[in-house]
Amino acid sequence: MASPESTPQTSNFITQLIDEHNRTGRYEGRVHTRFPPEPNGYLHIGHAKSICLNFGIAADYRGLCNLRFDDTNPAKEDVEYVDSIKEDIRWLGFDWEEREFYASDYFETLYEYALKLVRDGKAFVCELTAEQIREHRGTLTEPGRNSPFRDRAVEENLDLFERMRAGEFPDGRYTLRAKIDMGSPNLNMRDPVMYRILRAHHHRTGDAWCIYPTYDWAHGQSDSIEGITHSICTLEFEDHRPLYDWFVENLGIHHPRQIEFARLNVTYMIMSKRKLLRLVQENIVDGWDDPRMPTISGLRRRGYTPESIRDFADRVGVAKKESTIDIALLEHCVREDLNARALRVMAVLDPVKVVLTNFPEGQVEMMEAVNNPEDPTAGMRQVPFTRELYIEREDFMEDPPGKFFRLAPGREVRLRYAYIIKCEEVVKDNAGNIVELRCSYDPQTRSGMPEANRKVKGTLHWVSASESVEAEVRLYDRLFLREDPDETDNGEDFLANLNPDSLQILRARVEPSLVDALPGTLYQFERKGYFTVDSRYGRPGTPVFNRTVSLRDTWARMSTKS
RNA sequence: UGGGGCGUAGCCAAGCGGUAAGGCAUCGGCCUUUGGAGCCGACAUGCGCAGGUUCGAAUCCUGCCGCCCCAGCCA
């Protein structure tokens, strides 16, 4: 027995099964998986789990993983989706090399396989309508009844089936069904449909076919043709495994093992392609790649990295228990990755003016700032400091509570990489809104000077009023208000749980260096969060920033609690 | 009420007859020119429940209970 397998670092019920197969030699030590998306929507974080699992297992065992589009239903599928799916998998960091397949590649072989079952008396052409088939199927507790066409002669089945393919009959007139057992307690075994007549233009085969195989008939045989050893799918297909096995056994072809695991669910997210499609079609979001979407393309546009998504997929585990992962884990994974990589810059999201009354007018002093304290190789940069500055409105309080470490009348605060300042006067407009804070600065406390080591309550980020530039900043919050968006009060649908404040657009002031920010560059706006340039709305010279995720904010948590 | 699965901490998840890993979250403390990061510590006498087998049970047996999936010519 060849045993090229290595030992995977993670143990779960799937790797245990594979290890057992390797021990007994069931597949000669070979491990070959596949990721089989249907091109009827964009990939989401749940697919990412499956992609990481399938490609990951193949890599761990020095095997292969194919990409195979499960394109057996032309009515719902489109090339737009196959293109996006390929882009997303590549972006995640996986490579299927030349093994890009389509179930439609096998239509001819599948047809020949079907012919064999017909000749063997194991499949028949049925004339029952969809509704009649349902009636004959029986129920969960009652057995079904045989179709009156079940015992049609082989020759007649052959003739009818060939004419089905030839296009002699209208849509829905006949079906080809497997002849298994209408009395089976497993409804999937009650003479399942293998082919339906359907005139629809297929994105790959065009109008070459008017009969299309069903999932059950196409999937296992496609796996078999490709020499797949472990066909990993989600829990709801567990009931289909006996049928999967029946087809390959009765055809006498290579028999892959189907293994089912629990799909990923994440709090505050919906994973249903149907529902995501609705959000797109009803313009509730800005396309499949809206940064609030759980799609791979949405997460990418939001600023998530492939590394963080792969890490997340590793951490959620693989099991058969249906579970819902706390979105905090996903956020933890991006923060961890971004903390190590993001360039620190200063941006004031909700500016209020600060005037340093004792700082010379017209003077621009360059302050040296660290680009990434986690990465010395990221270097330093110069940030202009002037008499008039902006700080975050929420960093000042006229009448602060006890633990407020920021600016307040008569209090001192440090400006990051600059001086310690003291608030001397609050200027308000007629409506009582604060329009300006007049402060003094201590010239002996510039960063690097001995006096700068003085203990002060807090450190604020800032931006020069004259040297900074304006930029649009988009803050995102969860798309839904409930942990489980499908849980609604009185028969309403999931849209009732939409968060009306999931997108907030601000006009912020940012460091001058940011005018030329490019999509793909990862930033941390100090004290605020991680941001990246939006790939759709950002233009050279006028960047639009998306907030990927906020920084952990213990102050916010403290204030919410009290 | 047929069949197929699943129950280990707030959320995930190891465990595979020898006395409950790890992560997230949470709570303390240290440190800090990001209330970030980092560091230290706490967090299941308990594994859905009840019996049984055993020197010993989350692991084996029996019986209950709870949750999920299946009646598309969708995947």
Side-chain angles (χ1 to χ4, degrees):
Chain A
M1 172 186 112
S3 49
E5 75 275 5
S6 60
T7 308
Q9 69 289 19
T10 47
S11 167
N12 57 53
F13 78 100
I14 296 177
T15 59
Q16 288 178 0
L17 222 204
I18 294 174
D19 290 341
E20 186 190 320
H21 289 159
N22 284 159
R23 265 196 311 278
T24 60
R26 174 160 173 184
Y27 297 112
E28 295 82 40
R30 209 162 56 79
V31 174
H32 199 151
T33 57
R34 103 266 91 116
F35 173 63
E38 182 190 9
N40 68 343
Y42 279 58
L43 260 24
H44 54 61
I45 184 82
H47 295 110
K49 174 182 178 180
S50 175
I51 292 165
C52 292
L53 216 209
N54 278 293
F55 281 93
I57 281 177
D60 285 348
Y61 286 91
R62 291 179 214 154
L64 297 170
C65 179
N66 295 356
L67 169 60
R68 182 174 71 240
F69 289 94
D70 222 330
D71 55 351
T72 56
N73 186 3
K76 291 183 178 173
E77 296 153 8
D78 195 279
V79 274
E80 174 197 353
Y81 299 126
V82 346
D83 292 342
S84 74
I85 288 168
K86 293 200 292 188
E87 181 187 359
D88 289 347
I89 300 172
R90 262 191 231 108
W91 178 78
L92 274 175
F94 298 101
D95 184 7
W96 56 93
E97 301 176 297
E98 74 293 343
R99 298 180 310 283
E100 177 177 321
F101 303 125
Y102 295 78
S104 53
D105 295 342
Y106 313 131
F107 281 175
E108 193 61 48
T109 308
L110 253 14
Y111 178 79
E112 280 158 24
Y113 282 167
L115 246 21
K116 172 179 164 56
L117 291 187
V118 171
R119 280 189 220 102
D120 291 349
K122 291 171 178 171
F124 65 99
V125 172
C126 186
E127 296 176 36
L128 258 24
T129 63
E131 188 174 342
Q132 289 170 323
I133 285 181
R134 185 175 353 108
E135 287 162 1
H136 280 73
R137 189 156 29 226
T139 68
L140 295 178
T141 52
E142 305 157 45
R145 286 144 43 220
N146 283 170
S147 161
F149 308 100
R150 199 174 197 262
D151 296 318
R152 204 194 286 278
V154 168
E155 285 313 313
E156 196 184 341
N157 280 322
L158 246 20
D159 175 62
L160 252 16
F161 184 46
E162 278 161 8
R163 289 163 61 198
M164 277 170 66
R165 174 181 181 171
E168 291 187 26
F169 311 116
D171 287 9
R173 176 69 179 83
Y174 293 114
T175 56
L176 183 75
R177 295 224 263 161
K179 197 187 288 187
I180 307 180
D181 178 10
M182 291 305 291
S184 172
N186 181 345
L187 307 217
N188 294 121
M189 301 299 272
R190 320 241 263 226
D191 293 4
V193 171
M194 295 165 63
Y195 279 97
R196 68 275 208 186
I197 301 175
L198 174 63
R199 281 172 181 78
H201 190 79
H202 188 280
H203 66 103
R204 296 208 102 218
T205 60
D207 299 311
W209 294 85
C210 66
I211 57 172
Y212 288 95
T214 56
Y215 165 85
D216 284 309
W217 172 238
H219 201 93
Q221 282 51 255
S222 299
D223 284 341
S224 181
I225 291 166
E226 293 177 17
I228 298 303
T229 55
H230 303 273
S231 177
I232 300 170
C233 61
T234 45
L235 252 27
E236 67 271 26
F237 292 104
E238 205 148 17
D239 285 343
H240 295 241
R241 180 149 35 111
L243 177 55
Y244 184 108
D245 292 341
W246 190 92
F247 280 135
V248 287
E249 285 305 320
N250 282 279
L251 251 15
I253 57 179
H254 166 67
H255 191 159
R257 167 60 197 252
Q258 178 181 294
I259 305 170
E260 312 83 13
F261 74 102
R263 62 156 17 100
L264 173 69
N265 296 293
V266 180
T267 55
Y268 300 102
M269 286 184 172
I270 50 169
M271 238 49 109
S272 151
K273 277 204 251 180
R274 204 201 96 240
K275 288 174 186 161
L276 293 174
L277 213 211
R278 231 185 116 188
L279 295 177
V280 173
Q281 283 180 161
E282 295 181 23
N283 292 310
I284 291 163
V285 295
D286 182 29
W288 285 97
D289 66 347
D290 183 296
R292 294 165 294 183
M293 292 282 271
T295 50
I296 307 293
S297 52
L299 291 166
R300 175 168 60 232
R301 197 172 149 199
R302 175 87 170 247
Y304 274 72
T305 58
E307 291 82 357
S308 65
I309 294 172
R310 281 191 249 123
D311 182 37
F312 175 70
D314 284 344
R315 295 205 203 201
V316 298
V318 181
K320 299 194 72 157
K321 184 169 85 173
E322 297 204 46
S323 60
T324 302
I325 306 296
D326 192 332
I327 194 169
L329 179 61
L330 214 210
E331 295 179 340
H332 168 82
C333 292
V334 234
R335 286 194 186 105
E336 189 172 84
D337 190 33
L338 262 18
N339 175 52
R341 306 163 60 174
L343 260 22
R344 270 62 169 178
V345 291
M346 291 195 282
V348 177
L349 273 30
D350 182 17
V352 64
K353 185 167 281 185
V354 166
V355 178
L356 302 179
T357 52
N358 58 337
F359 193 91
E361 251 172 275
Q363 179 172 317
V364 179
E365 205 172 318
M366 297 309 282
M367 301 300 184
E368 189 163 60
V370 174
N371 286 333
N372 184 353
E374 305 294 323
D375 176 13
T377 68
M380 313 280 276
R381 71 183 186 288
Q382 303 288 116
V383 185
F385 184 87
T386 53
R387 185 172 196 264
E388 296 200 350
L389 308 166
Y390 289 115
I391 66 166
E392 215 66 67
R393 191 166 283 275
E394 63 168 21
D395 282 341
F396 174 83
M397 268 185 126
E398 240 185 319
D399 187 21
K403 284 282 197 287
F404 189 77
F405 296 161
R406 310 176 187 181
L407 199 61
R411 294 232 299 230
E412 276 193 333
V413 91
R414 183 191 307 278
L415 293 183
R416 180 95 157 141
Y417 298 125
Y419 297 96
I420 292 172
I421 64 169
K422 183 177 185 179
C423 177
E424 311 283 4
E425 187 189 345
V426 180
V427 181
K428 297 181 182 176
D429 64 13
N430 293 335
N433 301 309
I434 297 170
V435 294
E436 186 177 305
L437 299 169
R438 299 183 74 80
C439 303
S440 60
Y441 86 109
D442 180 345
Q444 300 309 307
T445 58
R446 179 181 162 140
S447 273
M449 291 177 162
E451 265 299 284
N453 294 326
R454 224 166 75 204
K455 285 285 171 199
V456 276
K457 284 277 195 186
T459 301
L460 306 186
H461 60 100
W462 52 273
V463 109
S464 159
S466 56
E467 307 303 300
S468 63
V469 297
E470 190 179 275
E472 180 173 313
V473 167
R474 296 174 164 232
L475 265 27
Y476 299 101
D477 195 0
R478 37 196 59 144
L479 234 198
F480 294 96
L481 294 167
R482 294 208 196 190
E483 272 197 20
D484 177 3
D486 286 319
E487 183 195 308
T488 52
D489 291 324
N490 15 270
E492 304 161 313
D493 75 357
F494 71 106
L495 296 180
N497 286 325
L498 238 18
N499 176 5
D501 302 314
S502 59
L503 168 62
Q504 195 187 345
I505 299 181
L506 305 174
R507 296 164 79 82
R509 302 291 307 191
V510 303
E511 274 184 34
S513 67
L514 256 30
V515 233
D516 302 316
L518 264 23
T521 312
L522 308 170
Y523 293 104
Q524 181 194 103
F525 288 0
E526 293 217 33
R527 302 208 308 131
K528 299 310 293 184
Y530 296 98
F531 292 78
T532 198
V533 175
D534 187 275
S535 53
R536 179 174 311 186
Y537 299 117
R539 290 281 171 281
T542 55
V544 171
F545 293 95
N546 288 329
R547 182 174 68 190
T548 308
V549 67
S550 67
L551 250 30
R552 267 183 98 233
D553 189 346
T554 45
W555 165 247
R557 227 180 308 142
M558 281 167 66
S559 7
T560 332
K561 240 186 299 175
S562 57

